[in-house]
Amino acid sequence: MLRISSSSSSLHVPSICGAPVNFILSFLNPSSRKVSNFTRLALLHSTTLFPNSRNFQFPTFRRVSTMMGRTHSCSRVVTASYSAASGPGGSSGGDREILVQHLLVKEDDQKLLLDLQKRTAEGEDLSDLAVEYSMCPSKEDGGMLGWVRKGQMVPEFEEAAFGAPLNKVVKCKTKFGWHLLQVLSEREESVLEHIQPNEFHVRLQDPSFLEEAQLIDVREPEEVAQASVPGFQVLPLRQFGVWGPEITTKFDPQKDTYVLCHHGVRSLQVAKWLQTQGFRKVFNVAGGIHEYAVKVDPSIPTY
């Protein structure tokens, strides 16, 4: 059993998709296992990672694996910085994300592995075979792991996935057993930046800014009543289960998106989540509205 705790509350999660959570977390790169308060909420009330999906479901393996990204410093731009290994089409893997599905069989089950390889070569769908034969919890979703980027999966799996041609089923071995994996699509990796209050204020003065960008305030209504910045749409974090499933229908993932909270902590968690939903460029307002009031606009009350 995994216990996720904070100073005020704790959450007991015995299993996900019928499998122990420690199995799911162990499949991730060790540096990707930190669980934030927002991730705790998202584990309970998350949408799928596919940007255009409107489904609202409880989390499955693909969302757990892809939501637990690295923890980055708040003092610098948050972008991936990986070695330029060759990937599909000869492109670098460090600036892209891939959509992966797979199935997993035991290391000593060579007969089954060879049979499944043969069946995929003859045209059977890997996802159908995953549902029937895979020992990974992702079988519940046809083996779908979702959009992943370098640094999230164990090294052997990552090397095979980022080196695989699109749509070709390839095999690799990890400490869990043998995998047959397939990369279904790829896209440019999204960018998350921390914008300082002064720079954000300058952008707000541009008449065209509010037409070209979208602004999200994740504070609670009682906080917004005390202090606010014009132009922000309020999406209270406590109501994530309500607005989360509709985020890509109410906001354009292709537009620059700015996220604000009290001190920049909650907004950072939401900004990271927006990345998983396909938002291409997300800005976290560093220091939140408190820093904005202190450094830029003293007419805004602090609380």
Side-chain angles (χ1 to χ4, degrees):
M1 178 180 291
L2 172 70
R3 177 169 181 158
I4 307 172
S5 62
S6 67
S7 59
S8 59
S9 63
S10 63
L11 170 67
H12 296 274
V13 187
S15 66
I16 296 176
C17 294
V21 172
N22 59 358
F23 171 83
I24 295 175
L25 294 182
S26 64
F27 187 64
L28 304 177
N29 183 301
S31 64
S32 302
R33 299 177 193 166
K34 288 189 176 181
V35 182
S36 67
N37 289 336
F38 178 73
T39 299
R40 181 191 301 111
L41 178 61
L43 285 171
L44 291 174
H45 301 294
S46 181
T47 63
T48 179
L49 284 186
F50 296 107
N52 296 321
S53 174
R54 300 183 186 182
N55 296 331
F56 177 57
Q57 341 174 12
F58 284 96
T60 61
F61 176 77
R62 69 171 178 266
R63 286 189 293 282
V64 174
S65 64
T66 50
M67 285 184 66
M68 296 187 182
R70 294 170 178 259
T71 300
H72 301 269
S73 168
C74 293
S75 62
R76 60 184 175 86
V77 173
V78 180
T79 56
S81 179
Y82 307 111
S83 59
S86 177
S91 62
S92 166
D95 59 355
R96 64 191 175 90
E97 297 171 322
I98 55 175
L99 181 63
V100 187
Q101 64 181 7
H102 86 132
L103 63 77
L104 173 67
V105 299
K106 294 180 180 179
E107 181 180 351
D108 58 0
D109 207 342
Q110 293 285 332
K111 183 178 179 180
L112 176 59
L113 177 67
L114 293 173
D115 178 59
L116 294 176
Q117 280 186 288
K118 180 181 178 181
R119 290 170 68 174
T120 57
E122 292 174 348
E124 288 196 51
D125 194 294
L126 183 65
S127 62
D128 292 336
L129 297 175
V131 170
E132 186 171 356
Y133 297 102
S134 181
M135 56 182 284
C136 176
S138 64
K139 67 182 297 178
E140 301 292 334
D141 292 319
M144 181 59 67
L145 299 180
W147 290 100
V148 299
R149 58 184 181 273
K150 282 201 169 184
Q152 290 184 303
M153 314 305 287
V154 292
E156 301 87 350
F157 190 95
E158 179 180 287
E159 181 179 358
F162 278 89
L166 285 177
N167 298 313
K168 182 178 180 179
V169 176
V170 300
K171 71 175 181 178
C172 75
K173 183 181 178 183
T174 70
K175 62 182 180 181
F176 303 106
W178 284 101
H179 305 258
L180 292 182
L181 66 89
Q182 185 178 31
V183 177
L184 303 176
S185 184
E186 62 179 342
R187 67 186 184 188
E188 181 183 353
E189 187 173 2
S190 61
V191 175
L192 168 58
E193 296 185 12
H194 296 271
I195 184 168
Q196 296 301 315
N198 289 329
E199 183 181 353
F200 179 63
H201 180 70
V202 170
R203 297 188 185 187
L204 277 177
Q205 308 315 304
D206 184 344
S208 64
F209 176 71
L210 292 179
E211 297 177 5
E212 300 171 354
Q214 44 201 6
L215 282 55
I216 299 175
D217 188 335
V218 299
R219 295 176 300 145
E220 302 306 313
E222 58 271 21
E223 294 181 89
V224 177
Q226 296 181 64
S228 63
V229 177
F232 278 87
Q233 182 165 337
V234 180
L235 299 180
L237 187 54
R238 290 179 185 171
Q239 297 177 27
F240 175 76
V242 176
W243 54 261
E246 302 178 348
I247 195 67
T248 56
T249 60
K250 293 187 175 181
F251 293 87
D252 184 354
Q254 300 305 314
K255 281 189 173 183
D256 288 358
T257 304
Y258 295 75
V259 191
L260 175 77
C261 72
H262 190 194
H263 290 291
V265 178
R266 285 172 289 175
S267 57
L268 176 59
Q269 300 300 333
V270 173
K272 289 181 178 180
W273 177 76
L274 288 173
Q275 284 187 290
T276 71
Q277 302 303 295
F279 283 71
R280 306 316 307 151
K281 196 166 186 178
V282 186
F283 296 86
N284 179 50
V285 181
I289 195 168
H290 177 82
E291 195 82 357
Y292 187 85
V294 170
K295 292 186 175 180
V296 177
D297 188 351
S299 67
I300 297 177
T302 57
Y303 63 97

